[in-house]
Amino acid sequence: MARHDGPMAYVADVVVTSDLRRRGIGTLLMRHAERWARDRGAVTITLNVHSGNSAALALYEQEGFRRTQITMRRDLT
């Protein structure tokens, strides 16, 4: 796994309403985010996604993102 030191961009949320999904909008949004980040000198772009969100995982992996971290949780209630 390559390690890059330098500025990092973070994608907080990507939302496409259910009636507009599967039309390439998420792909366009992610490509725009990457261009935006590159234009500002970022060498890495990161995001978080819930493990059960298979559609988002597929989109991000299609766009070249790779899984780099596992977060675990135990509910106490």
Side-chain angles (χ1 to χ4, degrees):
M1 176 184 324
R3 181 169 191 261
H4 299 285
D5 291 322
M8 178 184 73
Y10 177 76
V11 175
D13 289 300
V14 176
V15 179
V16 177
T17 60
S18 59
D19 59 320
L20 295 176
R21 291 182 186 150
R22 312 279 312 153
R23 296 184 184 191
I25 295 169
T27 298
L28 291 172
L29 289 169
M30 292 308 300
R31 291 182 183 174
H32 179 77
E34 182 176 336
R35 279 192 307 275
W36 183 93
R38 284 181 189 273
D39 289 349
R40 285 153 182 80
V43 297
T44 305
I45 187 167
T46 65
L47 54 81
N48 292 324
V49 60
H50 289 283
S51 61
N53 191 340
S54 58
L57 284 165
L59 168 65
Y60 301 141
E61 288 176 343
Q62 170 189 313
E63 290 304 305
F65 285 79
R66 67 187 185 295
R67 299 172 195 209
T68 59
Q69 181 175 318
I70 296 173
T71 301
M72 299 177 74
R73 179 179 87 186
R74 180 178 178 190
D75 294 330
L76 300 177
T77 57

